[in-house]
Coordinates of all heavy atoms in Angstrom, one line a residue:
M1 N 0.9 -1.2 0.0 CA 0.0 0.0 0.0 C 0.9 1.2 0.0 O 1.9 1.3 0.8 CB -0.9 0.0 1.3 CG -1.9 1.2 1.3 SD -2.9 1.1 2.8 CE -1.9 2.2 3.9
E2 N 0.6 2.2 -0.9 CA 1.4 3.4 -1.0 C 1.0 4.3 0.2 O -0.2 4.5 0.5 CB 1.1 4.1 -2.4 CG 1.9 5.3 -2.6 CD 3.5 4.9 -2.8 OE1 3.9 3.8 -3.0 OE2 4.3 5.9 -2.7
C3 N 2.0 4.9 0.8 CA 1.7 5.8 2.0 C 1.2 7.2 1.4 O 1.8 7.8 0.6 CB 2.9 6.1 2.8 SG 2.8 7.3 4.0
P4 N 0.0 7.6 1.9 CA -0.6 8.8 1.4 C 0.3 10.1 1.9 O 0.2 11.2 1.3 CB -1.9 8.9 2.0 CG -1.9 8.0 3.2 CD -0.8 6.9 2.9
N5 N 1.1 10.0 2.9 CA 1.9 11.1 3.4 C 3.3 11.1 2.9 O 4.1 11.9 3.3 CB 2.0 11.0 5.0 CG 0.5 10.9 5.5 OD1 -0.3 11.6 5.1 ND2 0.4 10.1 6.6
K6 N 3.6 10.1 2.0 CA 5.1 9.9 1.6 C 5.7 11.2 1.0 O 6.8 11.6 1.5 CB 5.2 8.8 0.6 CG 6.6 8.4 0.3 CD 6.7 7.2 -0.6 CE 8.2 6.9 -0.9 NZ 8.3 5.6 -1.7
E7 N 5.0 11.8 0.1 CA 5.6 12.9 -0.5 C 5.8 14.1 0.5 O 6.9 14.7 0.6 CB 4.7 13.5 -1.6 CG 5.1 13.0 -3.0 CD 4.3 13.5 -4.1 OE1 4.2 14.7 -4.2 OE2 3.7 12.6 -4.7
T8 N 4.8 14.3 1.4 CA 5.0 15.4 2.4 C 6.1 15.0 3.4 O 7.0 15.9 3.7 CB 3.7 15.5 3.3 OG1 2.6 15.6 2.3 CG2 3.7 16.7 4.2
N9 N 6.2 13.8 3.8 CA 7.2 13.3 4.7 C 8.7 13.5 4.0 O 9.6 13.9 4.6 CB 7.1 11.8 5.1 CG 5.8 11.6 5.9 OD1 5.3 12.5 6.5 ND2 5.4 10.4 6.0
Q10 N 8.7 13.2 2.7 CA 10.0 13.2 2.0 C 10.5 14.7 2.1 O 11.7 14.9 2.2 CB 9.8 12.7 0.6 CG 9.9 11.3 0.5 CD 9.7 10.8 -1.0 OE1 9.1 11.4 -1.8 NE2 10.2 9.6 -1.2
Q11 N 9.5 15.7 1.9 CA 10.0 17.1 1.9 C 10.6 17.5 3.2 O 11.6 18.3 3.3 CB 8.8 18.0 1.5 CG 8.5 17.9 0.0 CD 7.0 18.3 -0.3 OE1 6.4 18.9 0.5 NE2 6.6 17.9 -1.5
S12 N 10.1 16.9 4.3 CA 10.6 17.4 5.6 C 11.6 16.4 6.3 O 12.2 16.6 7.3 CB 9.4 17.5 6.6 OG 8.8 16.3 6.8
C13 N 11.8 15.3 5.6 CA 12.7 14.3 6.1 C 14.2 14.7 6.0 O 14.7 15.0 5.0 CB 12.6 12.9 5.3 SG 13.8 11.7 5.8
P14 N 14.9 14.7 7.2 CA 16.3 15.2 7.2 C 17.4 14.2 6.9 O 18.5 14.4 6.8 CB 16.4 15.7 8.6 CG 15.6 14.8 9.4 CD 14.4 14.4 8.5
C15 N 16.8 12.9 6.6 CA 17.8 11.8 6.4 C 18.6 12.1 5.1 O 17.9 12.3 4.1 CB 17.1 10.5 6.3 SG 18.2 9.1 6.0
T16 N 19.9 11.9 5.2 CA 20.7 12.2 4.0 C 21.3 10.9 3.4 O 22.2 10.9 2.6 CB 21.9 13.1 4.3 OG1 22.7 12.6 5.4 CG2 21.4 14.4 4.8
W17 N 20.7 9.7 3.8 CA 21.2 8.5 3.3 C 20.9 8.4 1.8 O 19.8 8.4 1.4 CB 20.6 7.3 4.1 CG 21.1 6.0 3.7 CD1 20.6 5.1 2.7 CD2 22.3 5.3 4.1 NE1 21.3 4.0 2.6 CE2 22.4 4.1 3.5 CE3 23.2 5.6 5.0 CZ2 23.5 3.2 3.6 CZ3 24.3 4.8 5.2 CH2 24.4 3.5 4.6
P18 N 21.9 8.3 1.0 CA 21.7 8.3 -0.4 C 20.9 7.1 -1.0 O 21.2 6.0 -0.6 CB 23.1 8.3 -1.1 CG 24.1 8.1 0.1 CD 23.4 8.1 1.4
G19 N 19.9 7.4 -1.8 CA 19.1 6.4 -2.4 C 18.2 5.5 -1.4 O 17.9 4.4 -1.7
C20 N 17.9 6.1 -0.3 CA 17.2 5.3 0.7 C 15.8 5.0 0.1 O 15.0 5.8 -0.3 CB 17.0 6.1 2.1 SG 16.0 5.2 3.2
R21 N 15.5 3.7 0.2 CA 14.2 3.2 -0.5 C 13.0 3.5 0.4 O 11.9 3.4 -0.1 CB 14.3 1.7 -0.8 CG 14.4 0.8 0.4 CD 14.2 -0.7 0.0 NE 14.3 -1.4 1.3 CZ 13.3 -1.5 2.1 NH1 12.1 -1.0 1.8 NH2 13.5 -2.2 3.3
V22 N 13.2 3.7 1.7 CA 12.0 4.0 2.6 C 11.9 5.5 2.9 O 11.0 5.8 3.7 CB 12.1 3.2 3.9 CG1 12.0 1.7 3.6 CG2 13.3 3.5 4.8
K23 N 12.7 6.3 2.3 CA 12.6 7.8 2.7 C 11.2 8.3 2.5 O 10.6 8.1 1.5 CB 13.5 8.6 1.8 CG 13.6 10.0 2.3 CD 14.8 10.7 1.5 CE 14.7 12.2 1.9 NZ 15.8 12.6 2.9
G24 N 10.6 8.8 3.5 CA 9.3 9.4 3.5 C 8.2 8.4 3.9 O 7.0 8.8 4.2
T25 N 8.5 7.1 3.9 CA 7.6 6.1 4.5 C 8.0 5.8 5.9 O 8.7 4.8 6.2 CB 7.6 4.8 3.6 OG1 7.5 5.3 2.2 CG2 6.4 4.0 3.9
C26 N 7.6 6.7 6.8 CA 8.1 6.6 8.2 C 7.9 5.3 8.9 O 8.8 4.8 9.6 CB 7.5 7.8 9.0 SG 8.0 9.4 8.3
C27 N 6.7 4.7 8.7 CA 6.5 3.4 9.4 C 7.5 2.4 9.0 O 8.1 1.6 9.8 CB 5.1 2.9 9.1 SG 4.6 2.8 7.4
E28 N 7.8 2.3 7.7 CA 8.8 1.3 7.2 C 10.2 1.7 7.7 O 11.0 0.9 8.0 CB 8.8 1.2 5.7 CG 7.6 0.5 5.2 CD 7.6 0.3 3.7 OE1 8.8 0.2 3.1 OE2 6.6 0.3 3.0
C29 N 10.4 2.9 7.7 CA 11.8 3.5 8.1 C 12.0 3.1 9.6 O 13.1 2.5 9.9 CB 11.8 5.0 8.0 SG 13.3 5.8 8.5
I30 N 11.0 3.3 10.5 CA 11.2 3.0 11.9 C 11.4 1.5 12.1 O 12.3 1.1 12.8 CB 10.0 3.5 12.7 CG1 10.0 5.1 12.6 CG2 9.9 3.0 14.1 CD1 8.6 5.7 13.0
R31 N 10.5 0.7 11.3 CA 10.6 -0.8 11.5 C 12.0 -1.2 11.0 O 12.6 -2.0 11.7 CB 9.5 -1.4 10.6 CG 9.2 -2.8 10.8 CD 8.1 -3.4 10.0 NE 6.9 -2.7 10.1 CZ 6.2 -2.1 9.1 NH1 6.7 -2.1 7.9 NH2 5.1 -1.4 9.4
K32 N 12.5 -0.7 9.9 CA 13.8 -1.2 9.3 C 14.9 -0.9 10.4 O 15.8 -1.7 10.6 CB 14.0 -0.4 8.1 CG 15.4 -0.7 7.4 CD 15.7 0.3 6.3 CE 16.6 1.3 6.7 NZ 17.0 2.2 5.6
H33 N 14.9 0.3 11.0 CA 15.9 0.7 11.9 C 15.8 -0.1 13.2 O 16.8 -0.6 13.7 CB 15.9 2.2 12.2 CG 16.4 3.0 11.1 ND1 15.6 3.5 10.1 CD2 17.7 3.3 10.8 CE1 16.4 4.1 9.2 NE2 17.7 4.0 9.6
L34 N 14.6 -0.2 13.8 CA 14.5 -0.9 15.0 C 14.9 -2.4 14.9 O 15.5 -2.9 15.9 CB 13.0 -0.9 15.5 CG 12.6 0.5 16.0 CD1 11.0 0.4 16.4 CD2 13.4 1.0 17.2
K35 N 14.7 -3.0 13.8 CA 15.3 -4.4 13.6 C 16.7 -4.4 13.8 O 17.3 -5.4 14.1 CB 15.0 -4.8 12.2 CG 13.6 -5.6 12.0 CD 13.5 -6.2 10.6 CE 12.1 -6.4 10.2 NZ 11.9 -6.5 8.7
K36 N 17.4 -3.3 13.4 CA 18.9 -3.3 13.6 C 19.3 -2.6 14.9 O 20.5 -2.1 15.0 CB 19.5 -2.6 12.4 CG 19.2 -3.2 11.1 CD 19.9 -2.5 9.9 CE 19.3 -1.2 9.6 NZ 19.9 -0.5 8.4
R37 N 18.4 -2.5 15.9 CA 18.8 -1.7 17.1 C 19.2 -0.4 16.8 O 20.3 0.1 17.3 CB 19.8 -2.5 18.0 CG 19.2 -3.9 18.5 CD 20.2 -4.5 19.5 NE 20.3 -3.7 20.7 CZ 21.2 -2.9 21.1 NH1 22.2 -2.7 20.3 NH2 21.2 -2.3 22.3
A38 N 18.5 0.3 15.9 CA 18.9 1.7 15.5 C 17.6 2.6 15.4 O 16.5 2.1 15.6 CB 19.5 1.6 14.2
L39 N 17.9 3.9 15.2 CA 16.7 4.9 15.1 C 16.8 5.6 13.8 O 17.9 5.7 13.2 CB 16.8 5.9 16.2 CG 16.6 5.3 17.6 CD1 17.1 6.3 18.7 CD2 15.2 4.8 17.9
P40 N 15.7 6.1 13.3 CA 15.7 6.9 12.0 C 16.6 8.1 12.1 O 16.8 8.7 13.2 CB 14.3 7.2 11.9 CG 13.5 6.3 12.6 CD 14.4 5.9 13.8
G41 N 17.0 8.6 10.9 CA 17.9 9.7 10.9 C 17.3 11.0 11.5 O 18.0 11.8 12.1
C42 N 16.0 11.1 11.5 CA 15.4 12.3 12.0 C 15.5 12.4 13.6 O 15.2 13.4 14.1 CB 13.9 12.4 11.6 SG 12.9 11.0 12.0
C43 N 15.9 11.3 14.2 CA 16.1 11.3 15.6 C 17.4 12.0 16.0 O 17.6 12.2 17.2 CB 16.1 9.9 16.2 SG 14.4 9.1 15.9
F44 N 18.2 12.3 15.1 CA 19.6 12.7 15.4 C 19.8 14.2 14.9 O 19.2 14.6 13.9 CB 20.6 11.8 14.6 CG 20.6 10.4 15.1 CD1 19.7 9.5 14.6 CD2 21.5 10.0 16.1 CE1 19.7 8.2 15.1 CE2 21.6 8.7 16.5 CZ 20.7 7.8 16.1
P45 N 20.6 14.9 15.6 CA 21.0 16.3 15.2 C 21.8 16.1 13.8 O 22.3 15.1 13.5 CB 21.9 16.7 16.2 CG 21.8 15.8 17.4 CD 21.3 14.6 16.9
K46 N 21.8 17.2 13.1 CA 22.3 17.2 11.7 C 23.7 16.6 11.6 O 23.9 15.7 10.8 CB 22.3 18.7 11.2 CG 22.5 18.7 9.7 CD 22.3 20.2 9.2 CE 22.6 20.2 7.7 NZ 22.1 21.3 7.0
D47 N 24.6 17.0 12.5 CA 26.0 16.5 12.3 C 26.1 15.0 12.7 O 26.7 14.3 12.0 CB 26.9 17.3 13.3 CG 26.5 17.3 14.7 OD1 25.3 17.1 15.0 OD2 27.4 17.5 15.6
A48 N 25.2 14.6 13.6 CA 25.2 13.2 14.0 C 24.5 12.3 12.9 O 24.9 11.2 12.6 CB 24.5 13.0 15.3
E49 N 23.5 12.9 12.3 CA 22.8 12.2 11.2 C 23.7 11.9 10.1 O 23.8 10.9 9.5 CB 21.6 13.1 10.7 CG 20.7 12.4 9.7 CD 21.3 12.4 8.3 OE1 21.9 13.4 7.9 OE2 21.0 11.4 7.6
A50 N 24.6 12.9 9.8 CA 25.6 12.9 8.7 C 26.6 11.7 8.9 O 27.2 11.3 7.9 CB 26.2 14.2 8.5
S51 N 26.7 11.2 10.1 CA 27.7 10.1 10.3 C 27.1 8.7 9.9 O 27.9 7.8 9.8 CB 28.0 10.1 11.9 OG 26.9 9.5 12.6
F52 N 25.8 8.7 9.7 CA 25.1 7.5 9.4 C 25.1 6.4 10.5 O 24.7 5.3 10.3 CB 25.5 6.9 8.0 CG 25.4 7.8 6.9 CD1 26.3 7.9 5.8 CD2 24.2 8.6 6.7 CE1 26.1 8.7 4.7 CE2 24.0 9.4 5.6 CZ 25.0 9.5 4.6
D53 N 25.7 6.8 11.7 CA 25.6 5.9 12.8 C 24.2 6.1 13.5 O 24.0 7.1 14.2 CB 26.7 6.2 13.8 CG 26.7 5.3 15.0 OD1 25.7 4.5 15.2 OD2 27.6 5.3 15.8
R54 N 23.3 5.2 13.2 CA 21.9 5.3 13.7 C 21.7 4.4 14.9 O 20.5 4.2 15.4 CB 20.9 4.9 12.6 CG 21.1 5.6 11.3 CD 20.3 6.9 11.4 NE 20.2 7.5 10.0 CZ 21.0 8.3 9.4 NH1 22.0 8.7 10.1 NH2 20.8 8.8 8.2
S55 N 22.8 3.9 15.5 CA 22.6 3.0 16.6 C 22.0 3.6 17.9 O 22.2 4.7 18.1 CB 24.0 2.3 16.9 OG 24.8 3.4 17.4
F56 N 21.4 2.6 18.7 CA 20.9 3.0 20.0 C 22.1 3.6 20.8 O 21.9 4.6 21.5 CB 20.4 1.8 20.7 CG 19.0 1.3 20.3 CD1 18.6 0.1 20.7 CD2 18.2 2.0 19.4 CE1 17.3 -0.5 20.3 CE2 17.0 1.6 18.9 CZ 16.5 0.3 19.4
E57 N 23.2 3.0 20.7 CA 24.4 3.4 21.5 C 24.8 4.8 21.1 O 25.1 5.7 22.0 CB 25.5 2.5 21.2 CG 25.4 1.1 21.9 CD 24.5 0.2 21.0 OE1 24.1 0.5 19.9 OE2 24.1 -0.9 21.6
H58 N 24.8 5.2 19.8 CA 25.1 6.5 19.4 C 24.1 7.5 20.0 O 24.5 8.6 20.6 CB 25.2 6.7 17.9 CG 25.6 8.0 17.3 ND1 25.4 8.4 16.0 CD2 26.3 9.0 17.9 CE1 25.9 9.6 15.9 NE2 26.5 10.0 17.0
F59 N 22.8 7.2 19.9 CA 21.8 8.0 20.4 C 22.0 8.2 21.9 O 21.9 9.4 22.4 CB 20.4 7.5 20.1 CG 19.2 8.3 20.4 CD1 18.9 9.4 19.6 CD2 18.5 8.2 21.6 CE1 17.9 10.3 19.9 CE2 17.5 9.1 21.9 CZ 17.2 10.1 21.0
A60 N 22.2 7.1 22.6 CA 22.5 7.2 24.0 C 23.6 8.1 24.4 O 23.5 9.0 25.3 CB 22.7 5.8 24.6
R61 N 24.7 8.1 23.6 CA 25.8 9.0 23.8 C 25.4 10.4 23.7 O 25.9 11.4 24.5 CB 27.0 8.6 23.0 CG 27.8 7.3 23.3 CD 29.1 7.2 22.6 NE 29.0 7.2 21.1 CZ 28.6 6.1 20.4 NH1 28.4 5.0 21.0 NH2 28.6 6.2 19.0
L62 N 24.6 10.7 22.7 CA 24.2 12.0 22.4 C 23.3 12.5 23.5 O 23.4 13.7 23.9 CB 23.4 12.1 21.1 CG 24.2 11.8 19.8 CD1 23.3 11.6 18.6 CD2 25.2 13.0 19.6
V63 N 22.4 11.7 24.1 CA 21.6 12.1 25.2 C 22.5 12.3 26.4 O 22.3 13.4 27.1 CB 20.6 10.9 25.5 CG1 19.9 11.2 26.8 CG2 19.6 10.7 24.4
Q64 N 23.4 11.5 26.7 CA 24.3 11.6 27.8 C 25.1 12.9 27.7 O 25.4 13.6 28.7 CB 25.4 10.4 27.9 CG 24.8 9.1 28.1 CD 24.5 8.9 29.6 OE1 25.2 9.4 30.4 NE2 23.4 8.2 29.9
S65 N 25.5 13.3 26.5 CA 26.3 14.5 26.3 C 25.3 15.8 26.2 O 25.9 16.9 25.9 CB 27.2 14.4 25.2 OG 26.4 14.2 24.0
G66 N 24.1 15.6 26.3 CA 23.2 16.7 26.2 C 22.9 17.2 24.8 O 22.4 18.3 24.7
K67 N 23.4 16.5 23.8 CA 23.2 17.0 22.4 C 21.8 16.7 21.8 O 21.4 17.1 20.8 CB 24.3 16.4 21.5 CG 25.7 16.9 21.8 CD 26.7 16.4 20.9 CE 28.1 17.0 21.3 NZ 29.2 16.2 20.9
V68 N 21.1 15.8 22.6 CA 19.7 15.5 22.2 C 18.8 15.7 23.4 O 19.2 15.3 24.5 CB 19.6 13.9 21.7 CG1 18.2 13.5 21.5 CG2 20.4 13.8 20.5
Ligands
SF4_1 S1 11.0 8.3 10.2 FE1 12.5 8.0 8.5 S2 11.5 8.6 6.6 FE2 10.4 9.5 8.4 S3 11.2 11.5 8.6 FE3 12.3 10.1 10.0 S4 14.1 9.5 8.8 FE4 12.7 10.4 7.3

């Protein structure tokens, strides 16, 4: 089923992963990341997002350091 919000989501999606097949389909994006113990790019500040490290551990370090 095509997501009715996909185009709108794509416009505001900060993820810079090149050629991402789920960009804008947030439910699939979240599902894909959680399977890998990770979070979507939009959970991370711009500089952290650009590292492509989406792990829970990276997010936890950002929280610990007050960056999130
Ligand atoms: S959940 Fe994924 S597709 Fe949706 S805005 Fe966040 S990074 Fe983009």
